[in-house]
Amino acid sequence: MSPFADLPLWITVAAFILAAGAVWVAGTRLSRYADAIAREFGIGQAVLGVILLGGVTSLPEIAVTGTAALGGNAALAVNNLLGGFAMQVTVLALADMAIRKSALTEAVPDPIVLLQGVLGIILVAGTLAGIGVGDIAFAGAGLWTWGLAALFVYCIRMVARAEDNPAWKVIGEPPASEIETDDPKRDLSRAQLLGATGLAALAILVMGYVLSTSGEALAERTGLGDSFFGAVFVAISTSLPEISTVLAAVRLGRYVMAASDIFGTNLFDIGVIFLVDLAYPGGAVLNEVGMFSIVAGLIGILVTAIYVAGLIERRDPALFGIGLDSYLVAATYLGGIALLFTLR
């Protein structure tokens, strides 16, 4: 039972908002610290470095879904990840609306972003197939999620190798402007940098527990259900660090960084499903979710495919300075939420 189950509703709401705010602040700082550590220790392009940095970026999702899984709430855990996948892609539409110059996909000439988007679609499709056909418990998780974990590692290896030695590149594009950004590495020693990273990670773990348990109580008391609350409200809360990072990046003209942050983080969020399965005490976790999760995943596939198509075509017309693909993604996501509400 959630520790918030018997508390007044206003206290539960306040705890959820406070935890979401804390995860936002700590997650944003943690992303900067992780990037500084990668540059300080020279691990950014290695496969291990990509996994480490992606895991740090996905720590809010790991904290929330891990707590939910350990508590036996498979619906909240899995749908938080699948809902977050779609929600974070929709953040790119918000970013497009923030710059209001031309279609965002016109300004992202990077094959790595395309690769990340396609691999994310493959991972989600594999997850939905496992939900549809059912899974078999094996070695503390499901046999299907073990396969997804292997596929995830291969995808990360592919991205890391492509970043280190791209097979092709777009020509005729002006170089990106150099942007002065805050660098924690300049102000902190290695020990201080590692210590600050550890404190931010601890804050996320603690607040992630509060976010998960208060969200579980709110889902029950509002009648929205664990699936819908996890796919929408908890997903938005755990995605706040990415929202702030992406909006800051596009305002500085770092469009490739913004798109890569979203598609790269989504790869790791789907990989977290394997950790959820390991933590879940009731057998294969994919057997505990159904049509709601499949629809949530399909929404994520659809919004990602729309942007991948825009990135390939790169002549996407704009209306009022916003790409038509961003309008389509926003409409698809909002329509998807309405559909999920009927399935809750």
Side-chain angles (χ1 to χ4, degrees):
M1 177 182 292
S2 169
F4 293 92
D6 297 325
L7 294 178
L9 182 61
W10 71 269
I11 293 180
T12 307
V13 172
F16 184 85
I17 294 174
L18 176 64
V23 167
W24 184 356
V25 173
T28 303
R29 289 184 177 273
L30 191 62
S31 296
R32 289 210 314 268
Y33 293 150
D35 183 63
I37 288 173
R39 285 181 280 112
E40 178 71 19
F41 292 92
I43 61 173
Q45 295 301 322
V47 176
L48 178 62
V50 173
I51 292 176
L52 175 63
L53 294 177
V56 166
T57 305
S58 298
L59 193 58
E61 287 81 4
I62 294 173
V64 171
T65 58
T67 300
L70 288 170
N73 195 333
L76 181 65
V78 174
N79 290 308
N80 170 230
L81 296 170
L82 293 175
F85 187 98
M87 191 274 156
Q88 288 179 164
V89 176
T90 309
V91 170
L92 292 176
L94 296 178
D96 203 354
M97 295 173 189
I99 57 175
R100 295 178 65 86
K101 293 181 179 179
S102 62
L104 178 65
T105 48
E106 184 182 333
V108 185
D110 194 324
I112 301 300
V113 177
L114 285 173
L115 179 62
Q116 290 172 322
V118 172
L119 292 177
I121 290 174
I122 292 172
L123 283 171
V124 175
T127 302
L128 302 188
I131 295 173
V133 304
D135 205 355
I136 300 172
F138 174 76
L143 189 60
W144 199 277
T145 51
W146 275 105
L148 287 173
L151 178 59
F152 164 75
V153 172
Y154 180 77
C155 289
I156 296 305
R157 180 174 178 270
M158 185 183 298
V159 171
R161 292 181 63 183
E163 287 181 342
D164 189 50
N165 186 25
W168 60 278
K169 62 180 179 179
V170 176
I171 61 174
E173 290 294 325
S177 57
E178 292 295 326
I179 303 296
E180 287 292 328
T181 56
D182 293 335
D183 186 359
K185 186 164 70 83
R186 291 185 302 201
D187 303 322
L188 301 175
S189 66
R190 281 190 173 187
Q192 290 173 327
L193 185 59
L194 292 173
T197 302
L199 288 176
L202 180 62
I204 288 176
L205 291 174
V206 173
M207 289 297 103
Y209 169 79
V210 176
L211 195 62
S212 176
T213 52
S214 60
E216 182 179 352
L218 287 173
E220 181 177 349
R221 298 177 68 175
T222 59
L224 292 175
D226 292 328
S227 295
F228 185 81
F229 205 88
V232 179
F233 295 102
V234 179
I236 291 174
S237 300
T238 55
S239 298
L240 288 174
E242 282 77 22
I243 294 175
S244 60
T245 300
V246 167
L247 291 180
V250 296
R251 289 192 180 105
L252 294 172
R254 303 287 289 270
Y255 306 127
V256 172
M257 173 184 169
S260 182
D261 179 76
I262 291 298
F263 289 145
T265 300
N266 273 353
L267 288 178
F268 283 89
D269 286 354
I270 299 303
V272 170
I273 291 178
F274 172 68
L275 300 180
V276 167
D277 207 354
L278 289 175
Y280 183 66
V285 75
L286 295 185
N287 291 337
E288 303 300 321
V289 292
M291 183 57 66
F292 184 99
S293 299
I294 291 175
V295 173
L298 288 174
I299 295 168
I301 288 176
L302 185 55
V303 294
T304 303
I306 291 170
Y307 268 137
V308 168
L311 288 167
I312 295 172
E313 198 268 342
R314 297 198 65 243
R315 288 174 296 189
D316 184 45
L319 180 64
F320 304 114
I322 303 168
L324 293 184
D325 50 6
S326 292
Y327 285 112
L328 186 56
V329 164
T332 300
Y333 180 71
L334 292 175
I337 288 179
L339 179 60
L340 292 175
F341 182 79
T342 66
L343 298 174
R344 71 191 191 281

